[in-house]
Amino acid sequence: FIMLVHSLKLPLKRPALLKVTNLTLTLAIVIFVLIFAYLLRPDTYPLLRLASLLPIIWFSYRFGIVGAITSATLINALIIVEAIITDEPSNTYISQLFILANAITSMVLGAAITELKRKNVELKKINRALTKQLDQNSRLAAKMVTVQENERKHLSQELHDELGQNLTALKTDLAILSHISNEKTQTFVTTLKNNANAMYDSVYQLMHYLRPRELDELGLKKAVVQGRLKSLLNQANISYEVSFTLEQALSKEHEIAVYRICQEAVTNCIKHSNANSLTINIKSSEHFSELEIRDNGDSVKLTDNTGHYGLAFMQERSMALGGSFEIINDGGFTIKVKLPIKTVG
């Protein structure tokens, strides 16, 4: 009843009205049950007095030791008043037992609940600190990924502008030299041309690894569907299928993350799987982007020092953007990534 009166002072909003309604129903049900039981069996009156423990338990849960002592004091006062009014020796004896039981119950429950609430407050404080630290770590990881991509882009551009142009000039000079050289030096010039071509291919692959230019030039969809990933899989005789279901265009950092994960998954499929088909499914909603990469490999090639660095790399990419990363190895190898993203129009 005290809780109900206290709740009536709250602003009459939906949560307050719901609380008042619940308390009113609880009080009405308890009173109805007690009166009904007493009218049905008056001899159970001493047993019905056990209901005096309910407010003690309730107040202990809500207010700890203060609520337990307060409720026990009020209930024991009512028991004493009733014993004085009835003035029956048996009732006085029973009242003494209930007063003692209520006092012990209130002290034990109050102390236990107070300690539990104190621990709960400490845990909430620690949880807030950990959540704050996790947010800071996520922002730092995302920033590190952005810085890494910028450095890769810069290095790739430098390789293209400096080393790439020099190798192109070298190949041109060797082509001219092969036309003016005699038969004695022709074999040597041919070897130089082959070495220059191999160096150019290596530099091109390195530039693509550092920064896939097709992603900047073609966009995510064409880069994944028609780009180098398809070429690598075709060379390995692995069939390739891509499904795109994007409601809106993704932000640049998420496009890079999705492409990088696809790139690493394709590399792992070629090097460490016996699969002959690979499927990529990319879809996005208003708040999330989901990536699923699945192959039908039934075993893993026994290669030394694989280290699982590719999987760790993909997981780090996902975690840096606050996403989830899941691996399923059942009837093939499946990678599922879910990223909470902001889409751009």
Side-chain angles (χ1 to χ4, degrees), residues 222-240:
K222 289 186 177 180
V224 174
V225 175
Q226 305 174 1
R228 184 171 175 78
L229 301 181
K230 180 179 180 180
S231 176
L232 292 173
L233 289 169
N234 288 339
Q235 293 176 11
N237 294 322
I238 298 176
S239 62
Y240 183 50

PDB file of all heavy atoms in Angstrom, residues 222-240:
ATOM      1  N   LYS A 222      31.588  -3.778 -60.257  1.00  0.00           N
ATOM      2  CA  LYS A 222      32.319  -4.214 -61.439  1.00  0.00           C
ATOM      3  C   LYS A 222      33.677  -4.794 -61.070  1.00  0.00           C
ATOM      4  O   LYS A 222      34.158  -5.733 -61.721  1.00  0.00           O
ATOM      5  CB  LYS A 222      32.493  -3.044 -62.408  1.00  0.00           C
ATOM      6  CG  LYS A 222      31.208  -2.625 -63.089  1.00  0.00           C
ATOM      7  CD  LYS A 222      31.470  -1.556 -64.132  1.00  0.00           C
ATOM      8  CE  LYS A 222      30.187  -1.179 -64.870  1.00  0.00           C
ATOM      9  NZ  LYS A 222      30.423  -0.140 -65.904  1.00  0.00           N
ATOM     10  N   ALA A 223      34.302  -4.241 -60.008  1.00  0.00           N
ATOM     11  CA  ALA A 223      35.607  -4.754 -59.591  1.00  0.00           C
ATOM     12  C   ALA A 223      35.498  -6.191 -59.101  1.00  0.00           C
ATOM     13  O   ALA A 223      36.375  -7.028 -59.374  1.00  0.00           O
ATOM     14  CB  ALA A 223      36.190  -3.868 -58.502  1.00  0.00           C
ATOM     15  N   VAL A 224      34.416  -6.505 -58.379  1.00  0.00           N
ATOM     16  CA  VAL A 224      34.249  -7.859 -57.867  1.00  0.00           C
ATOM     17  C   VAL A 224      33.761  -8.805 -58.960  1.00  0.00           C
ATOM     18  O   VAL A 224      34.212  -9.945 -59.062  1.00  0.00           O
ATOM     19  CB  VAL A 224      33.269  -7.858 -56.666  1.00  0.00           C
ATOM     20  CG1 VAL A 224      32.963  -9.273 -56.214  1.00  0.00           C
ATOM     21  CG2 VAL A 224      33.851  -7.052 -55.513  1.00  0.00           C
ATOM     22  N   VAL A 225      32.850  -8.332 -59.818  1.00  0.00           N
ATOM     23  CA  VAL A 225      32.244  -9.202 -60.821  1.00  0.00           C
ATOM     24  C   VAL A 225      33.176  -9.443 -62.002  1.00  0.00           C
ATOM     25  O   VAL A 225      33.324 -10.577 -62.481  1.00  0.00           O
ATOM     26  CB  VAL A 225      30.902  -8.605 -61.305  1.00  0.00           C
ATOM     27  CG1 VAL A 225      30.320  -9.439 -62.441  1.00  0.00           C
ATOM     28  CG2 VAL A 225      29.917  -8.520 -60.155  1.00  0.00           C
ATOM     29  N   GLN A 226      33.830  -8.381 -62.473  1.00  0.00           N
ATOM     30  CA  GLN A 226      34.578  -8.480 -63.724  1.00  0.00           C
ATOM     31  C   GLN A 226      36.075  -8.258 -63.553  1.00  0.00           C
ATOM     32  O   GLN A 226      36.801  -8.333 -64.542  1.00  0.00           O
ATOM     33  CB  GLN A 226      34.051  -7.435 -64.720  1.00  0.00           C
ATOM     34  CG  GLN A 226      32.562  -7.526 -64.975  1.00  0.00           C
ATOM     35  CD  GLN A 226      32.042  -6.403 -65.845  1.00  0.00           C
ATOM     36  OE1 GLN A 226      32.805  -5.549 -66.281  1.00  0.00           O
ATOM     37  NE2 GLN A 226      30.741  -6.393 -66.096  1.00  0.00           N
ATOM     38  N   GLY A 227      36.543  -7.993 -62.370  1.00  0.00           N
ATOM     39  CA  GLY A 227      37.928  -7.583 -62.177  1.00  0.00           C
ATOM     40  C   GLY A 227      38.907  -8.731 -62.032  1.00  0.00           C
ATOM     41  O   GLY A 227      38.705  -9.847 -62.532  1.00  0.00           O
ATOM     42  N   ARG A 228      39.964  -8.442 -61.307  1.00  0.00           N
ATOM     43  CA  ARG A 228      41.081  -9.369 -61.189  1.00  0.00           C
ATOM     44  C   ARG A 228      40.697 -10.634 -60.421  1.00  0.00           C
ATOM     45  O   ARG A 228      41.265 -11.698 -60.654  1.00  0.00           O
ATOM     46  CB  ARG A 228      42.247  -8.658 -60.497  1.00  0.00           C
ATOM     47  CG  ARG A 228      43.514  -9.490 -60.411  1.00  0.00           C
ATOM     48  CD  ARG A 228      44.680  -8.669 -59.915  1.00  0.00           C
ATOM     49  NE  ARG A 228      45.861  -9.503 -59.727  1.00  0.00           N
ATOM     50  CZ  ARG A 228      46.654  -9.922 -60.688  1.00  0.00           C
ATOM     51  NH1 ARG A 228      46.391  -9.578 -61.944  1.00  0.00           N
ATOM     52  NH2 ARG A 228      47.713 -10.667 -60.422  1.00  0.00           N
ATOM     53  N   LEU A 229      39.746 -10.527 -59.509  1.00  0.00           N
ATOM     54  CA  LEU A 229      39.329 -11.705 -58.749  1.00  0.00           C
ATOM     55  C   LEU A 229      38.804 -12.785 -59.689  1.00  0.00           C
ATOM     56  O   LEU A 229      39.141 -13.969 -59.549  1.00  0.00           O
ATOM     57  CB  LEU A 229      38.255 -11.327 -57.728  1.00  0.00           C
ATOM     58  CG  LEU A 229      38.642 -10.273 -56.682  1.00  0.00           C
ATOM     59  CD1 LEU A 229      37.489 -10.034 -55.725  1.00  0.00           C
ATOM     60  CD2 LEU A 229      39.888 -10.690 -55.922  1.00  0.00           C
ATOM     61  N   LYS A 230      38.004 -12.388 -60.640  1.00  0.00           N
ATOM     62  CA  LYS A 230      37.471 -13.343 -61.611  1.00  0.00           C
ATOM     63  C   LYS A 230      38.588 -13.945 -62.451  1.00  0.00           C
ATOM     64  O   LYS A 230      38.588 -15.154 -62.734  1.00  0.00           O
ATOM     65  CB  LYS A 230      36.451 -12.642 -62.513  1.00  0.00           C
ATOM     66  CG  LYS A 230      35.838 -13.543 -63.566  1.00  0.00           C
ATOM     67  CD  LYS A 230      34.817 -12.787 -64.413  1.00  0.00           C
ATOM     68  CE  LYS A 230      34.202 -13.706 -65.471  1.00  0.00           C
ATOM     69  NZ  LYS A 230      33.214 -12.990 -66.316  1.00  0.00           N
ATOM     70  N   SER A 231      39.559 -13.103 -62.836  1.00  0.00           N
ATOM     71  CA  SER A 231      40.673 -13.589 -63.648  1.00  0.00           C
ATOM     72  C   SER A 231      41.491 -14.632 -62.893  1.00  0.00           C
ATOM     73  O   SER A 231      41.865 -15.673 -63.452  1.00  0.00           O
ATOM     74  CB  SER A 231      41.558 -12.409 -64.064  1.00  0.00           C
ATOM     75  OG  SER A 231      42.693 -12.864 -64.763  1.00  0.00           O
ATOM     76  N   LEU A 232      41.770 -14.374 -61.610  1.00  0.00           N
ATOM     77  CA  LEU A 232      42.557 -15.319 -60.815  1.00  0.00           C
ATOM     78  C   LEU A 232      41.829 -16.649 -60.656  1.00  0.00           C
ATOM     79  O   LEU A 232      42.439 -17.722 -60.753  1.00  0.00           O
ATOM     80  CB  LEU A 232      42.853 -14.714 -59.438  1.00  0.00           C
ATOM     81  CG  LEU A 232      43.807 -13.518 -59.414  1.00  0.00           C
ATOM     82  CD1 LEU A 232      43.878 -12.925 -58.011  1.00  0.00           C
ATOM     83  CD2 LEU A 232      45.199 -13.925 -59.897  1.00  0.00           C
ATOM     84  N   LEU A 233      40.528 -16.598 -60.426  1.00  0.00           N
ATOM     85  CA  LEU A 233      39.765 -17.826 -60.258  1.00  0.00           C
ATOM     86  C   LEU A 233      39.662 -18.605 -61.573  1.00  0.00           C
ATOM     87  O   LEU A 233      39.701 -19.843 -61.571  1.00  0.00           O
ATOM     88  CB  LEU A 233      38.368 -17.503 -59.719  1.00  0.00           C
ATOM     89  CG  LEU A 233      38.329 -17.028 -58.265  1.00  0.00           C
ATOM     90  CD1 LEU A 233      36.954 -16.484 -57.912  1.00  0.00           C
ATOM     91  CD2 LEU A 233      38.710 -18.153 -57.310  1.00  0.00           C
ATOM     92  N   ASN A 234      39.518 -17.892 -62.683  1.00  0.00           N
ATOM     93  CA  ASN A 234      39.483 -18.567 -63.984  1.00  0.00           C
ATOM     94  C   ASN A 234      40.791 -19.281 -64.275  1.00  0.00           C
ATOM     95  O   ASN A 234      40.804 -20.401 -64.814  1.00  0.00           O
ATOM     96  CB  ASN A 234      39.161 -17.565 -65.090  1.00  0.00           C
ATOM     97  CG  ASN A 234      37.714 -17.110 -65.054  1.00  0.00           C
ATOM     98  OD1 ASN A 234      36.852 -17.780 -64.495  1.00  0.00           O
ATOM     99  ND2 ASN A 234      37.444 -15.960 -65.652  1.00  0.00           N
ATOM    100  N   GLN A 235      41.906 -18.650 -63.910  1.00  0.00           N
ATOM    101  CA  GLN A 235      43.210 -19.282 -64.101  1.00  0.00           C
ATOM    102  C   GLN A 235      43.352 -20.544 -63.262  1.00  0.00           C
ATOM    103  O   GLN A 235      44.046 -21.479 -63.641  1.00  0.00           O
ATOM    104  CB  GLN A 235      44.319 -18.292 -63.762  1.00  0.00           C
ATOM    105  CG  GLN A 235      44.427 -17.117 -64.719  1.00  0.00           C
ATOM    106  CD  GLN A 235      45.481 -16.115 -64.284  1.00  0.00           C
ATOM    107  OE1 GLN A 235      46.277 -16.372 -63.383  1.00  0.00           O
ATOM    108  NE2 GLN A 235      45.493 -14.954 -64.928  1.00  0.00           N
ATOM    109  N   ALA A 236      42.677 -20.576 -62.096  1.00  0.00           N
ATOM    110  CA  ALA A 236      42.731 -21.750 -61.227  1.00  0.00           C
ATOM    111  C   ALA A 236      41.617 -22.743 -61.521  1.00  0.00           C
ATOM    112  O   ALA A 236      41.439 -23.712 -60.766  1.00  0.00           O
ATOM    113  CB  ALA A 236      42.646 -21.298 -59.755  1.00  0.00           C
ATOM    114  N   ASN A 237      40.856 -22.512 -62.599  1.00  0.00           N
ATOM    115  CA  ASN A 237      39.753 -23.391 -63.001  1.00  0.00           C
ATOM    116  C   ASN A 237      38.687 -23.514 -61.909  1.00  0.00           C
ATOM    117  O   ASN A 237      38.181 -24.603 -61.616  1.00  0.00           O
ATOM    118  CB  ASN A 237      40.283 -24.785 -63.382  1.00  0.00           C
ATOM    119  CG  ASN A 237      41.147 -24.764 -64.622  1.00  0.00           C
ATOM    120  OD1 ASN A 237      40.870 -24.035 -65.584  1.00  0.00           O
ATOM    121  ND2 ASN A 237      42.215 -25.555 -64.615  1.00  0.00           N
ATOM    122  N   ILE A 238      38.385 -22.397 -61.308  1.00  0.00           N
ATOM    123  CA  ILE A 238      37.352 -22.338 -60.272  1.00  0.00           C
ATOM    124  C   ILE A 238      36.219 -21.455 -60.792  1.00  0.00           C
ATOM    125  O   ILE A 238      36.443 -20.292 -61.143  1.00  0.00           O
ATOM    126  CB  ILE A 238      37.905 -21.760 -58.952  1.00  0.00           C
ATOM    127  CG1 ILE A 238      39.017 -22.659 -58.408  1.00  0.00           C
ATOM    128  CG2 ILE A 238      36.793 -21.611 -57.917  1.00  0.00           C
ATOM    129  CD1 ILE A 238      39.687 -22.115 -57.160  1.00  0.00           C
ATOM    130  N   SER A 239      35.020 -22.023 -60.878  1.00  0.00           N
ATOM    131  CA  SER A 239      33.879 -21.242 -61.348  1.00  0.00           C
ATOM    132  C   SER A 239      33.529 -20.171 -60.325  1.00  0.00           C
ATOM    133  O   SER A 239      33.735 -20.340 -59.119  1.00  0.00           O
ATOM    134  CB  SER A 239      32.667 -22.152 -61.593  1.00  0.00           C
ATOM    135  OG  SER A 239      32.260 -22.775 -60.385  1.00  0.00           O
ATOM    136  N   TYR A 240      32.964 -19.079 -60.818  1.00  0.00           N
ATOM    137  CA  TYR A 240      32.810 -17.882 -59.993  1.00  0.00           C
ATOM    138  C   TYR A 240      31.436 -17.278 -60.227  1.00  0.00           C
ATOM    139  O   TYR A 240      31.010 -17.090 -61.365  1.00  0.00           O
ATOM    140  CB  TYR A 240      33.918 -16.888 -60.369  1.00  0.00           C
ATOM    141  CG  TYR A 240      33.963 -15.618 -59.568  1.00  0.00           C
ATOM    142  CD1 TYR A 240      33.940 -15.643 -58.188  1.00  0.00           C
ATOM    143  CD2 TYR A 240      34.048 -14.384 -60.206  1.00  0.00           C
ATOM    144  CE1 TYR A 240      33.998 -14.469 -57.451  1.00  0.00           C
ATOM    145  CE2 TYR A 240      34.114 -13.208 -59.483  1.00  0.00           C
ATOM    146  CZ  TYR A 240      34.099 -13.256 -58.097  1.00  0.00           C
ATOM    147  OH  TYR A 240      34.155 -12.090 -57.380  1.00  0.00           O
TER     148      TYR A 240
END
